[in-house]
Amino acid sequence: MKFFIDTANLDQIKEAQELGVLDGVTTNPSLMAKEGITGRDNILKHYVAICDLVDGDVSAEVNSTDLEGMIEEGEELAALHDQIVVKIPMIKDGIKALKYFSDKGIRTNCTLVFSVGQALLAAKAGATYVSPFIGRLDDISTDGLGLISDIRLVYDNYAFETQILAASVRHTMHVIDCAKLGADVMTGPLSAIEGLLKHPLTDSGLEKFLADYNKGNQ
Ligand code: G3P
């Protein structure tokens, strides 16, 4: 299972990278704005700064909603750095753009996916990653994890190579449940990754081991 961090905050990205388990980064226009990164040139520079910090895939989102605009923006983003994956929204022209980029060998991440049907279309169009937003489904009393499970079933039925990138992951249990269900990738905050570390028996066990070891060193 690949771990991506879902942020545009360079300090958090650096911290996750230093942990040694980071496989990539996802961002979106809202995450960029949260860090005060606005305006096309600043956003493009920020993508390059992220690529320079990490080894893996970095999703960079187009902001056009028509095919021509998505192609123009996507090609510009892909040319920025070889780690860039072009993020395309799940709309009709987005499907055409996914197919266009897939035929050209440019990797894509189909975003804003909320149903199995949408995920099926993204795979048919050759998306590299499909991003079901599980947290936002949970927010409206709909089963986000159930969607991961359904997409896994459909993709396995036909051996689609599109990777399931569980997005809008909010906490550590989402990470664990996505791993159980066979999501290929999860993207979430650093806190969701660091939560995997925690167990009170680890802490108390270590405290006792250190206390016993130090008996002979006093
Ligand atoms: O990866 C998608 C993500 O950025 C959306 O997350 O927490 O805003 O639903 P959230």
Side-chain angles (χ1 to χ4, degrees):
M1 187 191 203
K2 292 187 205 165
F3 281 6
F4 289 180
I5 189 168
D6 195 29
T7 182
N9 182 294
L10 296 182
D11 291 336
Q12 297 237 321
I13 293 170
K14 194 160 175 280
E15 206 175 327
Q17 172 71 17
E18 284 170 358
L19 194 57
V21 298
L22 190 69
D23 300 296
V25 180
T26 52
T27 59
N28 62 40
S30 305
L31 292 171
M32 284 284 186
K34 193 173 159 198
E35 299 306 320
I37 314 293
T38 53
R40 185 177 154 278
D41 288 352
N42 290 331
I43 290 174
L44 295 185
K45 274 190 215 143
H46 203 71
Y47 283 136
V48 176
I50 293 173
C51 290
D52 288 343
L53 271 184
V54 302
D55 300 323
D57 289 350
V58 175
S59 288
E61 188 152 345
V62 300
N63 293 288
S64 305
T65 52
D66 64 294
L67 179 60
E68 199 179 312
M70 279 189 265
I71 287 175
E72 192 181 326
E73 263 192 82
E75 286 183 337
E76 183 181 24
L77 290 169
L80 279 180
H81 201 287
D82 59 12
Q83 285 167 242
I84 293 283
V85 174
V86 180
K87 207 168 174 188
I88 306 275
M90 169 42 73
I91 54 177
K92 194 168 181 180
D93 274 11
I95 298 300
K96 296 176 192 174
L98 289 171
K99 176 75 176 116
Y100 172 87
F101 287 122
S102 164
D103 288 347
K104 285 194 79 174
I106 292 176
R107 289 170 306 136
T108 53
N109 174 359
C110 181
T111 190
L112 290 166
V113 167
F114 294 94
S115 75
V116 186
Q118 291 178 327
L120 180 57
L121 267 179
K124 289 283 294 172
T128 312
Y129 297 104
V130 66
S131 288
F133 279 29
I134 63 173
R136 291 192 191 185
L137 282 170
D138 290 353
D139 287 344
I140 57 157
S141 306
T142 304
D143 184 7
L145 290 166
L147 177 58
I148 299 295
S149 171
D150 287 347
I151 298 172
R152 181 76 281 154
L153 173 70
V154 170
Y155 280 12
D156 287 351
N157 279 348
Y158 299 98
F160 281 120
E161 287 177 9
T162 300
Q163 295 176 57
I164 303 172
L165 194 173
S168 185
V169 159
R170 302 274 176 75
H171 49 72
T172 301
M173 277 314 294
H174 269 160
V175 180
I176 293 168
D177 286 331
C178 285
K180 286 183 184 171
L181 294 171
D184 300 288
V185 191
M186 79 83 203
T187 191
L190 181 59
S191 59
I193 297 173
E194 289 187 335
L196 296 167
L197 270 170
K198 293 178 189 155
H199 200 288
L201 291 178
T202 303
D203 298 338
S204 59
L206 182 60
E207 198 179 333
K208 176 84 169 76
F209 285 160
L210 290 176
D212 287 341
Y213 172 77
N214 283 324
K215 280 179 189 164
N217 299 317
Q218 280 157 2

